[in-house]
Amino acid sequence: TLYGWSKAEAIGRPAHQLLRTEFPMPLADIVAEVARTGRWRGELIHTRRDGERVVVESRWALRRDAVGHPQAYLVIETDLSESRLAADTRSQLRREQYARQVAEESLGRLQRLHALVVAMAGQETPLQVARTLVEQGLSLLGASAGGVLVLRQDGRALESLAAVGYPSDILAAWQWIPLGAPMPIAEALRTRQP
């Protein structure tokens, strides 16, 4: 049998006690719903004789006598263990595929970052490093515009070393940015906050 109990062991014992049934709500509430509506449907967890838990879809219907008094419950249960196992397996597979995708994307970013670091290491001047960073770094970040600004030696302005993707009038205006300018990048440097 599904639950492993012999006929002799099961006779005279309520099924929910024999199977140590776990209900989604109190049994009294289920019985009250069946009495009120004539039916109930939900998932239960039974425990087999060997201790294995079995998830079932349980459907209850109330049978009444000719006068309308409750006479018996008809209970039909369908073992969901295999379908649950299949669903759990599919869910685990989706999680593994997602983790693999994230790992592959991370590896790709690391490889591109490594290539950028190697390219920058071959440069000799800050201007060459900035140009390499802008040219290769933007694609690494998936950006369409960007630039490298450095703090001038007098500490009063930012100087643009390299920039791409901006209109020429913007680039001309951003050659020098005073630290007091009402711009996010100047404010970040002044306040030391991103």
Side-chain angles (χ1 to χ4, degrees), residues 23-37 39-40 60 73:
F23 295 96
M25 57 199 297
L27 178 58
D29 293 350
I30 294 172
V31 171
E33 184 175 329
V34 173
R36 189 178 67 257
T37 66
R39 62 189 39 145
W40 179 82
W60 299 21
Y73 293 104

Side-chain angles (χ1 to χ4, degrees), residues 119-133 148 150 161-162:
M120 287 176 23
Q123 305 305 319
E124 296 179 10
T125 68
L127 182 59
Q128 290 173 329
V129 170
R131 286 185 178 150
T132 301
L133 180 59
V148 175
V150 295
L161 288 186

Side-chain angles (χ1 to χ4, degrees), residues 12-71:
R13 294 180 66 188
H16 68 278
Q17 289 178 0
L18 179 71
L19 302 174
R20 299 189 309 265
T21 302
E22 296 175 31
F23 295 96
M25 57 199 297
L27 178 58
D29 293 350
I30 294 172
V31 171
E33 184 175 329
V34 173
R36 189 178 67 257
T37 66
R39 62 189 39 145
W40 179 82
R41 181 179 189 161
E43 289 186 9
L44 305 177
I45 301 173
H46 296 311
T47 303
R48 294 170 34 106
R49 188 170 194 262
D50 64 6
E52 183 180 340
R53 293 160 44 101
V54 179
V55 179
V56 297
E57 177 186 32
S58 187
R59 295 177 299 281
W60 299 21
L62 180 61
R63 183 173 172 200
R64 297 184 182 272
D65 63 17
V67 190
H69 295 103
Q71 186 177 29

Side-chain angles (χ1 to χ4, degrees), residues 29-162:
D29 293 350
I30 294 172
V31 171
E33 184 175 329
V34 173
R36 189 178 67 257
T37 66
R39 62 189 39 145
W40 179 82
R41 181 179 189 161
E43 289 186 9
L44 305 177
I45 301 173
H46 296 311
T47 303
R48 294 170 34 106
R49 188 170 194 262
D50 64 6
E52 183 180 340
R53 293 160 44 101
V54 179
V55 179
V56 297
E57 177 186 32
S58 187
R59 295 177 299 281
W60 299 21
L62 180 61
R63 183 173 172 200
R64 297 184 182 272
D65 63 17
V67 190
H69 295 103
Q71 186 177 29
Y73 293 104
L74 170 64
V75 178
I76 299 172
E77 293 186 336
T78 305
D79 183 3
L80 298 178
S81 300
E82 289 298 321
S83 62
R84 281 287 170 90
L85 180 60
D88 289 348
T89 300
R90 285 191 302 272
S91 178
Q92 177 66 26
L93 179 60
R94 281 193 297 274
R95 285 192 301 273
E96 288 173 2
Q97 288 172 336
Y98 176 74
R100 186 177 306 114
Q101 178 185 353
V102 168
E104 288 171 357
E105 289 171 359
S106 296
L107 178 60
R109 282 192 298 274
L110 284 173
Q111 289 170 334
R112 291 189 302 273
L113 183 58
H114 180 263
L116 174 62
V117 169
V118 168
M120 287 176 23
Q123 305 305 319
E124 296 179 10
T125 68
L127 182 59
Q128 290 173 329
V129 170
R131 286 185 178 150
T132 301
L133 180 59
V134 169
E135 291 166 3
Q136 295 184 23
L138 290 181
S139 65
L140 174 67
L141 297 171
S144 59
V148 175
L149 300 169
V150 295
L151 185 61
R152 285 181 38 184
Q153 286 190 346
D154 63 11
R156 297 166 68 177
L158 294 167
E159 179 182 353
S160 175
L161 288 186

Side-chain angles (χ1 to χ4, degrees), residues 1 3-15 17-19 49:
T1 67
Y3 301 111
W5 301 96
S6 69
K7 184 177 181 180
E9 292 171 313
I11 288 178
R13 294 180 66 188
Q17 289 178 0
L18 179 71
L19 302 174
R49 188 170 194 262

